[in-house]
Amino acid sequence: MALPDRKRNRMLGYDYSREGLYFVTSCVQGRACVFGHVAEEEMVLNKYGQIATQQWHWLAAQYPYLVLHAFVVMPNHVHGIIEIDQNLVVRTGRDLSAQLPVDETGTEKESSRTKVKSISELMGAYKATTSKQIRLAGLADFAWQRSFHDHIIRHERAYRHIEQYIQNNPALWKDDVFHHPLS
């Protein structure tokens, strides 16, 4: 019996480590509500939700080429906008003293830049560190769903729409597809 074709998660041929804005969503396995609850259209985080928030900010501290935009932890998932900006890479003193290779126009060659992780690698780091911290905090069987959803944000109108969606997510929780495991 042949397995059904899986929907491709990423755009074929696209470099997900290139500069840009990315909307990401990751769900808890089984859509279990472990991060807190929504009360009066506001998200109330418990200690696991606080860890999910803390590890989101850890990403920007760990990877200097990241800018974190709108983000929300919901009872059973997270939404966020991540920006990769290679201009933010700060070289160490050793890097600055080295002669950097340049091309024929005098521009620094791409290979001399700090290795920028792809969105998949960044989300893998987020999910792994969050999982570890949540398990250490007492939720021994915590797990994320396999993979995550992403969307490349290509224009300002899309960015504003997604940003508003993230900010309004707690108020929309009662109607959220992530709230209804059978949908």
Side-chain angles (χ1 to χ4, degrees), residues 60-75:
Q62 188 70 24
Y63 304 107
Y65 48 82
L66 292 185
V67 177
L68 302 177
H69 294 256
F71 175 71
V72 68
V73 175
M74 295 298 293

Side-chain angles (χ1 to χ4, degrees), residues 34-36 43-55 71-75 78 126 130 134:
V34 299
F35 295 140
M43 183 61 197
V44 179
L45 298 175
N46 61 21
K47 67 182 178 180
Y48 308 123
Q50 290 169 357
I51 291 169
T53 300
Q54 167 193 308
Q55 292 310 113
F71 175 71
V72 68
V73 175
M74 295 298 293
V78 298
Y126 172 73
T130 302
I134 289 174

Side-chain angles (χ1 to χ4, degrees), residues 71-91:
F71 175 71
V72 68
V73 175
M74 295 298 293
N76 61 9
H77 66 281
V78 298
H79 292 298
I81 298 174
I82 298 176
E83 179 179 1
I84 295 177
D85 184 348
Q86 293 182 7
N87 294 320
L88 297 176
V89 175
V90 177
R91 289 195 170 75

Side-chain angles (χ1 to χ4, degrees), residues 116-183:
V116 173
K117 293 191 177 299
S118 70
I119 289 297
S120 290
E121 292 169 313
L122 294 165
M123 287 303 292
Y126 172 73
K127 290 166 68 171
T129 61
T130 302
S131 295
K132 179 180 179 180
Q133 295 299 320
I134 289 174
R135 289 179 193 136
L136 288 172
L139 191 56
D141 61 348
F142 176 80
W144 292 101
Q145 279 186 358
R146 182 173 177 244
S147 196
F148 64 95
H149 171 78
D150 71 84
H151 174 79
I152 302 162
I153 301 173
R154 292 195 168 93
H155 50 80
E156 181 74 18
R157 192 176 90 232
Y159 175 87
R160 294 292 168 219
H161 176 76
I162 293 166
E163 179 184 48
Q164 185 175 33
Y165 172 78
I166 292 170
Q167 291 169 350
N168 292 336
N169 215 247
L172 301 172
W173 174 243
K174 65 185 178 310
D175 302 321
D176 198 316
V177 67
F178 295 106
H179 188 190
H180 306 286
L182 301 177
S183 55

